[in-house]
């Protein structure tokens, strides 16, 4: 988990580390008349409608892009300028975020005006009302809807491996079994329980492709860089019922970042 995020999210010291500054919105000084307000004092306005249907709950993981300003227009933190999104438990950040993101769906971008009582309560910088543009990218802890079994449009190999491309890649070459690869991944059992995720930890995994379970060795060789694929790996190609390992068919979302 990104402990640095929990400790330093929105800290003023980030200013010196960001390579550029995003200009503040024209309504940074105060919520406009068309902003919606909650009983707590949180104000928000949808900047971009989302494509999702479900809202995150208070204790689940979310992945976002965000930029924050003080009401005088000074940017103090931004995942956008850092070039990487942030993943964190929704109940581990300031209360304005915990409340506000529960109103959102995936793909939505919303502007929040967070009063000091829902931010740092004057106990640390930045003080006063804070303004954030937040885009909800995903809820990585949630299992995919088809986690129980491969859907009809999934492709199958002779070994019994099933897969479906979720995002096409821009690479041309496929890795060989002897190659080192870097991936981001999340894995679930078929009852929807996540058991491992580099997305949640924020650290991609690099490994020799012939040093993992057979379903990965076979499946990742079908991919190109930039591709994201969902695999349904039967137990015979996974941990084969070994005690202490995830049992049964396993489902992985794998993004091939690089062939080393």
């Amino acid at each position: 988990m990104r402990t640095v995020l929990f400790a330093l999210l929105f800290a003023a010291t980030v200013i010196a580390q960001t390579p550029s500054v995003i200009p503040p919105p024209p309504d940074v000084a105060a919520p406009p008349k068309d902003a919606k307000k909650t009983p707590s004092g949180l104000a928000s306005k949808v900047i971009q409608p989302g494509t999702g249907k479900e809202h995150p709950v208070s204790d689940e993981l979310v992945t976002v892009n965000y930029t924050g300003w003080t009401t005088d227009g000074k940017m103090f933190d931004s995942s956008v300028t850092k070039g990487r999104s942030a993943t964190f438990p929704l109940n581990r950040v300031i209360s304005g975020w915990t409340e506000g993101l529960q109103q959102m769906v995936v793909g939505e971008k919303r502007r929040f005006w967070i009063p000091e009582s829902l931010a740092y309560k004057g106990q640390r910088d930045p003080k006063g009302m804070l303004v954030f543009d937040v885009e909800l990218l995903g809820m990585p802890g949630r299992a995919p809807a088809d986690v129980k079994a491969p859907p009809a449009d999934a492709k199958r190999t002779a070994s019994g491996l099933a897969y479906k491309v979720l995002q096409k890649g821009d690479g041309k070459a496929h890795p060989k079994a002897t190659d080192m690869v870097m991936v981001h991944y999340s894995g679930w059992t078929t009852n929807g329980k996540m058991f491992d995720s580099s997305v949640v930890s924020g650290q991609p995994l690099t490994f020799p492709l012939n040093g993992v379970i057979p379903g990965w060795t076979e499946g990742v060789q079908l991919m190109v860089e930039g591709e994201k694929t969902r695999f349904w790996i039967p137990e015979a190609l996974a941990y084969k019922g070994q005690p202490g390992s995830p049992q049964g068919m396993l489902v992985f979302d794998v993004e091939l970042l690089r062939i080393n």
Side-chain angles (χ1 to χ4, degrees), residues 87-171:
T87 298
F88 51 87
L90 195 47
N91 59 3
R92 294 285 299 276
V93 286
I94 57 175
S95 54
W97 272 55
T98 305
E99 178 184 354
L101 266 78
Q102 290 181 76
Q103 302 174 27
M104 301 177 68
V105 296
V106 171
E108 180 180 322
K109 186 175 182 180
R110 189 179 288 234
R111 184 164 298 146
F112 292 103
W113 292 262
I114 301 178
E116 189 171 63
S117 61
L118 299 178
Y120 290 112
K121 304 177 182 180
Q123 298 175 2
R124 55 175 291 185
D125 290 331
K127 294 181 171 67
M129 177 180 285
L130 305 180
V131 181
F132 288 94
D133 280 1
V134 182
E135 183 179 5
L136 180 57
L137 302 176
M139 294 171 277
R142 292 196 179 188
D146 50 14
V147 72
K148 291 185 178 181
D153 59 347
K155 296 180 179 180
R156 293 178 184 267
T157 69
S159 69
L161 178 69
Y163 68 98
K164 181 178 180 179
V165 175
L166 305 178
Q167 170 186 292
K168 292 184 177 181
D170 51 11

Side-chain angles (χ1 to χ4, degrees), residues 37-52:
K37 293 188 177 182
T38 68
S40 69
L42 177 68
S44 69
K45 181 178 179 179
V46 175
I47 306 301
Q48 170 186 293
T51 57

Side-chain angles (χ1 to χ4, degrees), residues 161-184:
L161 178 69
Y163 68 98
K164 181 178 180 179
V165 175
L166 305 178
Q167 170 186 292
K168 292 184 177 181
D170 51 11
K172 302 298 182 184
H174 298 271
K176 301 183 295 294
T178 54
D179 284 338
M180 294 286 292
V181 295
M182 177 186 289
V183 305
H184 257 316

